[in-house]
Amino acid sequence: DDKPRVQIGGAKKCPRCDLQVVYQNSVPGPGGMDWHKACLTCKSCTKKLEADRMEEHEDEAYCKACYRKNFEEEDDDKPRVQIGGAKKCPRCDLQVVYQNSVPGPGGMDWHKACLTCKSCTKKLEADRMEEHEDEAYCKACYRKNFEEEDDDKPRVQIGGVKQCPRCSKDVVWKDAVPGPGGVDWHKACLTCKSCTKKLEADRMEEHED
C-alpha cells in the first residue's frame, strides 16, 4: 500500500497513455508502475522494450543506447578508452571523433562503420543491438549464441518437442532458425507476415512475436 500508483477510482492507469491497465496486459515499468506492454517503448527512439532490459530516467523508459546518448555523455567520471585525451573505438582501436561516433556496448563511443554484429557482421543501429561482454550483436546472433540454453525462456513446445510458431509443426535443429520471440522457426516459414518475402534471421523486424 506504500507503493505509489497512478489511480482513478481504484483503477491503475498506464503512465505513458493514461488509460486503464489490466493485469493481463501489464508489465512493470519505470517508477514501479504498471505499464501497457505496447506502451513500454523508448521515449526517444520508440524501440519496443523488455521490462528487464531498459533504463529509467525521471520515471520514463529508454533503451540503453538512447539513455547513454541523452544522460551519460557529460559524465566525466565514466571510464573511457583514451590516449592523450582522444577516445578510441573499441572495435578498431582507432581514434573516434564526435561527428563519426555512435554510442555502443560498454557505454563507449564507436565508429558508425564499426558498429556491426561480431558474429555475422550485420550493420547495427545503436538502438537496435544486443550486448555481451562489451561486444555488439544483432538480435538473432545474440539469441543463438547466448540464450539457447536459457531454460527459463518461454518456448512453443508439445511433449518437449519444439514447434514452429508459423506452421505449428515440429522443428528439428538442422532446419531451425531463431525467429521472433526467441523461438525456433523453420527456415522456410520465416517470411514476412504481410508480403511473404523470405527473411534472414538477422534481417527482420518483430511485432507481437
Side-chain angles (χ1 to χ4, degrees):
D1 293 336
D2 294 328
K3 192 165 192 158
R5 299 286 183 180
V6 179
Q7 295 180 328
I8 292 182
K12 297 177 186 177
K13 297 187 76 181
C14 172
R16 177 66 59 81
C17 70
D18 207 35
L19 298 177
Q20 184 175 349
V21 180
V22 294
Y23 172 77
Q24 298 90 331
N25 192 33
S26 69
V27 288
M33 313 293 285
D34 288 330
W35 288 49
H36 291 124
K37 293 178 184 178
C39 290
L40 193 62
T41 59
C42 175
K43 186 179 181 182
S44 293
C45 70
T46 72
K47 174 186 177 182
K48 188 175 180 181
L49 301 174
E50 299 293 331
D52 58 346
R53 291 188 184 182
M54 66 175 181
E55 299 291 341
E56 300 182 29
H57 183 76
E58 296 182 353
D59 291 342
E60 264 295 353
Y62 296 86
C63 68
K64 290 183 179 181
C66 288
Y67 182 87
R68 292 190 193 112
K69 182 179 179 181
N70 292 327
F71 309 115
E72 291 186 353
E73 280 188 342
E74 304 304 322
D75 184 359
D76 293 332
D77 294 327
K78 195 169 186 70
R80 301 286 184 178
V81 179
Q82 294 180 329
I83 293 182
K87 297 177 184 177
K88 298 185 74 181
C89 172
R91 178 66 60 80
C92 69
D93 207 34
L94 297 177
Q95 183 176 346
V96 180
V97 294
Y98 174 77
Q99 297 91 330
N100 192 33
S101 69
V102 288
M108 313 295 286
D109 288 330
W110 289 48
H111 291 124
K112 293 178 183 178
C114 290
L115 192 62
T116 59
C117 175
K118 186 178 181 182
S119 293
C120 71
T121 71
K122 174 188 175 182
K123 188 174 181 180
L124 301 174
E125 298 293 329
D127 59 341
R128 293 188 179 184
M129 67 175 181
E130 299 291 343
E131 300 181 28
H132 184 74
E133 295 181 354
D134 290 344
E135 264 294 354
Y137 295 87
C138 68
K139 291 184 177 182
C141 289
Y142 182 88
R143 292 191 192 110
K144 182 178 179 181
N145 292 326
F146 309 114
E147 290 187 352
E148 280 189 340
E149 302 305 320
D150 184 359
D151 292 333
D152 294 328
K153 195 170 186 69
R155 300 285 184 177
V156 179
Q157 294 181 328
I158 293 180
V161 179
K162 295 178 183 177
Q163 283 200 311
C164 173
R166 177 65 59 79
C167 69
S168 297
K169 294 181 180 179
D170 292 352
V171 180
V172 294
W173 182 81
K174 293 175 286 187
D175 190 36
V177 288
V183 179
D184 288 333
W185 288 48
H186 291 124
K187 294 177 184 177
C189 290
L190 194 62
T191 59
C192 175
K193 187 176 181 181
S194 295
C195 69
T196 71
K197 175 184 176 181
K198 188 174 181 181
L199 302 173
E200 298 293 329
D202 59 344
R203 294 188 180 182
M204 66 176 180
E205 297 294 337
E206 300 181 28
H207 181 69
E208 296 181 354
D209 293 347

